[in-house]
Amino acid sequence: MKPSSPISFTSSSLAPSLPRKHRLSPYLFTLLIFIFFVSVLYGEDFMCIFGQLEPTFSLRPSQATEKNKKPQKLAFAIGKTEENCDVFSGKWVRDEVSRPPYEEWECPYIQPQLTCQEHGRPDKDYQFWRWQPNHCDLPSFNATLMLETLRGKRMMYVGDSLNRGMFVSMICLLHRIIPEDQKFIKTTGSLTVFTAKEYNVTIEFYWAPFLLESNSDDAIVHRISDRVVRKGSINKHGRHWKGADIIVFNTYLWWMTGLKMNILQGSFDDKEKVIAEVSTEDAYRMGMKSMLRWVKNNMDRKKTRVFFTSMSPTHAKGIDWGGEPGQNCYNQTTLIEDPNYWGSDCRKSIMKVLGEVFGRSKTPITLLNITQMSNYRRDAHTSIYKKQWSPLTAEQLENPTSYADCVHWCLPGLQDTWNELLFAKLFYP
């Protein structure tokens, strides 16, 4: 069949005849009026129906607009991380040139719970590993830049003993360039303050293992098996954090008492206490939301920065990495090489809670995702090479795995890398 001639839209072809006027059908007009009134009356219901059809991870219009906004420059930033660079995804590389960043003996601030060499660890292999991101390099830690940036400011670590280890690591990374008569450290109750007088800087640690008020808040005597957290009580501790310019939060291990958590509805001073038992995930979600609200209400996003350190893994079950039953971090001197390794102690349900809460929040908090990289480091724990606060029994001495500490980390060691990641995200977000 011969195709019909194409229609020409040149001015000459249109000139001979004027377009005819088309009248709107009265039926069509009535239908349009009807649709208009229905959309006005029931528009919200239609939106709800269509909203339910959206994919789980789709962006609603308001979210898309937020994403397309020009990102606001973060406080303390002096540059940007390379494009497509995830500093938390990478591998450990043996490095006997730049590691360790300091020696154990030259940093007097390390607690005896973390001085593995002093307490007889025979090897130093755990000190010679450097984190190498897959598609970029970590900026070198610059103590002078850190202290000059912090001049006249407060930097604070808030959380449990793992965050205290990170706090001590930061002091060890900085203290060598501070004159001896210009630095001192003091502990009062839950607060430990390191002062660099020459820079008018304080680097602080505040003990609050749940961030919220709990029956484990005593910085010295806190070994309580039946842990209770008070709902909506973050201001009990938060009043001590006000005025900080940089805060690094952590909380995880203390929530892991089982599948349930005890939540106090009233006050610890009440004669009759109302305690609800909720799932660990719901309790943790409550804690994270409380932290985000506190940050939103108390931290100036234009002048301050807030970080949250993800869960620190333990290596208490050798069967997780193919070891023998009953084996743990004791006597482990090599890394786990499986890039997909994930220990059973790191609850993915908790990581999911973190993703949900942080993903929905507009509060600017930088997540330091140290979990995967630390999962490979079964070799870096203090194990038995630490100060023992109670005399060991004969049975324990015969079986070192029974008292090996597979929670905390030797210094220098892994937690120096955590602070290098903090440094990278602070200055090159």
Side-chain angles (χ1 to χ4, degrees), residues 54-58:
E54 291 180 325
T56 306
F57 296 103
S58 68

Side-chain angles (χ1 to χ4, degrees), residues 363-384:
T363 304
I365 294 184
T366 302
L367 178 66
L368 298 176
N369 190 2
I370 55 85
T371 306
Q372 184 65 73
M373 64 178 298
S374 304
N375 255 310
Y376 306 133
R377 297 305 305 276
R378 63 184 174 189
D379 64 311
H381 291 285
T382 54
S383 185
I384 66 172

Side-chain angles (χ1 to χ4, degrees), residues 381-401:
H381 291 285
T382 54
S383 185
I384 66 172
Y385 306 108
K386 54 179 283 186
K387 180 176 180 178
Q388 305 295 336
W389 297 103
S390 302
L392 298 172
T393 65
E395 290 78 9
Q396 287 176 314
L397 291 171
E398 289 178 4
N399 181 19
T401 58

Side-chain angles (χ1 to χ4, degrees), residues 6 8 13 24 66 70 135 156 218 258 269 321 327 386 422:
S8 172
S13 65
L24 188 66
E66 187 72 20
K70 185 177 180 180
H135 304 295
M156 177 175 276
D218 190 300
D269 296 327
W321 60 80
Q327 193 179 30
K386 54 179 283 186
L422 170 63

Side-chain angles (χ1 to χ4, degrees), residues 235-385:
N235 288 329
K236 174 71 180 292
H237 297 308
R239 58 195 174 95
H240 299 283
W241 314 335
K242 289 184 177 182
D245 299 280
I246 299 172
I247 297 183
V248 184
F249 288 109
N250 96 306
T251 183
Y252 168 70
L253 200 61
W254 284 71
W255 298 87
M256 301 299 110
T257 57
L259 300 178
K260 300 288 185 180
M261 191 75 203
N262 294 320
I263 305 299
L264 176 65
Q265 303 292 339
S267 168
F268 280 105
D269 296 327
D270 294 341
K271 290 183 179 179
E272 294 185 7
K273 296 178 176 59
V274 180
I275 297 177
E277 192 178 65
V278 303
S279 71
T280 301
E281 287 76 15
D282 286 342
Y284 194 74
R285 183 179 291 105
M286 175 197 72
M288 291 299 96
K289 288 183 176 180
S290 294
M291 179 191 69
L292 288 171
R293 280 194 298 269
W294 187 91
V295 170
K296 180 182 178 181
N297 294 333
N298 294 280
M299 301 294 285
D300 184 345
R301 68 170 62 194
K302 295 180 181 179
K303 299 179 180 179
T304 64
R305 290 287 296 280
V306 181
F307 299 85
F308 184 84
T309 307
S310 65
M311 65 182 78
S312 173
T314 66
H315 292 87
K317 299 178 181 178
I319 55 173
D320 283 354
W321 60 80
E324 297 295 327
Q327 193 179 30
N328 59 17
C329 70
Y330 171 68
N331 215 22
Q332 298 294 328
T333 58
T334 60
L335 281 62
I336 294 172
E337 296 182 358
D338 179 3
N340 299 314
Y341 173 79
W342 187 272
S344 61
D345 61 297
C346 294
R347 291 197 197 174
K348 290 192 175 181
S349 59
I350 295 296
M351 289 294 278
K352 183 179 179 182
V353 169
L354 275 178
E356 291 173 355
V357 174
F358 279 69
R360 294 172 182 171
S361 173
K362 294 182 180 179
T363 304
I365 294 184
T366 302
L367 178 66
L368 298 176
N369 190 2
I370 55 85
T371 306
Q372 184 65 73
M373 64 178 298
S374 304
N375 255 310
Y376 306 133
R377 297 305 305 276
R378 63 184 174 189
D379 64 311
H381 291 285
T382 54
S383 185
I384 66 172
Y385 306 108

